[in-house]
Amino acid sequence: QDLIEGYMSTMTDETHNRSLAVIDEVKNHETYSDWWANLTACRDFSKPEESDCHYKQVKWPILMLVGWWDIFQKTHLEAWTGIRVASDPSHREDHVLIVAPLGHCLLGTPVHPVLAGAEAQSLVTSVELMGEQWGGNLTGPTRTRIGRVNYFVMGGYAGSTTGNYWVSADDFPTPTPKTLYMHGNKVLKDTAPTVANAEGYAYDPADPTPMLGGNNLPDVGKIKACGTADQGDRDSRSDVLVYETGA
């Protein structure tokens, strides 16, 4: 609610005052219906080749730029999978993805110089690549320098740290999922509990748990920043349950 009302309220000039009416329309169509059909690229991202997905209409090379801390990160990466699987075969191998640190999170303050520098690199590379693509050159110097999938590996900022560098590859590395189970005393383990446990909390809608940092769009609502944030004050609330591993 905060995001939609805040974002649409800032878009009145760009939409010729139409954005304020959209707020009520969204509230009147909170569940998926025909109203959303023409606004939705794909109803089920796990089935990008289904008839109600529109990726097959993509018949030109796409450059997709997103940030790890961008509020649209999840849908961007889902769309990337969609165009790689179901776009027109004539250009399916020509799409390029760049995942920078921030995306829209760049609008928030403060921004660490390491992340700001990486974000600037992503923007410059994107402009250079678009110039090549729009000129019909799909094997120009920028495209031959980078991979199909390019992402910034996040790291720390103090002392010796791992990360803070770019990777260019044909695809993301294959992930290795790990299952963790909630145990008593708010502990996470990789083994299933042998004794049933229960935890509870009281939710007060008049005093909701705040969102601190994370994937967000700053300065369009009550959220003023995104990205990394100290969660200490929130985690100490009585309406928040925190489970931790032993390490």
Side-chain angles (χ1 to χ4, degrees):
Q1 177 182 348
D2 178 60
L3 172 65
I4 290 188
E5 291 184 352
Y7 182 67
M8 289 301 175
S9 295
T10 64
M11 295 292 289
T12 53
D13 290 341
E14 292 84 349
T15 61
H16 305 286
N17 294 319
R18 180 75 178 86
S19 62
L20 297 180
V22 172
I23 296 175
D24 290 332
E25 291 178 5
V26 170
K27 290 179 178 179
N28 293 330
H29 298 86
E30 291 191 6
T31 58
Y32 188 83
S33 64
D34 291 342
W35 185 84
W36 289 100
N38 291 330
L39 305 175
T40 305
C42 187
R43 180 72 176 94
D44 185 348
F45 285 109
S46 67
K47 302 176 181 178
E49 295 176 295
E50 293 290 313
S51 60
D52 60 351
C53 291
H54 301 292
Y55 301 125
K56 57 183 175 295
Q57 298 180 23
V58 177
K59 301 179 180 180
W60 54 88
I62 293 294
L63 166 62
M64 189 169 288
L65 175 62
V66 67
W68 289 124
W69 284 122
D70 195 303
I71 191 170
F72 306 113
Q73 177 237 90
K74 181 176 183 293
T75 50
H76 257 104
L77 297 182
E78 289 171 336
W80 169 253
T81 300
I83 64 173
R84 285 288 295 130
V85 171
S87 63
D88 190 282
S90 63
H91 284 296
R92 195 172 294 171
E93 300 301 316
D94 298 328
H95 308 310
V96 175
L97 173 68
I98 299 177
V99 187
L102 302 170
H104 284 89
C105 196
L106 185 64
L107 301 174
T109 54
V111 174
H112 194 278
V114 170
L115 302 185
E119 198 71 24
Q121 290 176 324
S122 73
L123 293 171
V124 170
T125 300
S126 297
V127 171
E128 293 173 343
L129 182 58
M130 283 190 294
E132 294 175 5
Q133 287 183 335
W134 291 351
N137 185 2
L138 302 181
T139 57
T142 304
R143 181 63 186 89
T144 55
R145 176 171 55 86
I146 64 176
R148 177 180 293 114
V149 172
N150 311 271
Y151 54 92
F152 187 76
V153 178
M154 306 285 270
Y157 314 121
S160 178
T161 182
T162 300
N164 296 326
Y165 58 87
W166 284 95
V167 170
S168 290
D170 276 343
D171 204 346
F172 286 110
T174 302
T176 304
K178 183 175 183 178
T179 301
L180 296 174
Y181 301 88
M182 292 184 290
H183 286 251
N185 298 321
K186 298 184 175 62
V187 174
L188 287 174
K189 297 182 179 180
D190 57 8
T191 57
T194 57
V195 179
N197 291 283
E199 298 280 358
Y201 62 89
Y203 170 68
D204 181 1
D207 183 25
T209 306
M211 181 175 184
L212 303 176
N215 294 76
N216 224 307
L217 188 62
D219 291 331
V220 301
K222 298 177 182 178
I223 304 298
K224 298 302 179 185
C226 52
T228 55
D230 186 350
Q231 306 294 320
D233 289 342
R234 189 183 72 159
D235 289 352
S236 64
R237 290 171 56 113
S238 61
D239 58 354
V240 174
L241 300 179
V242 179
Y243 287 80
E244 298 181 328
T245 62

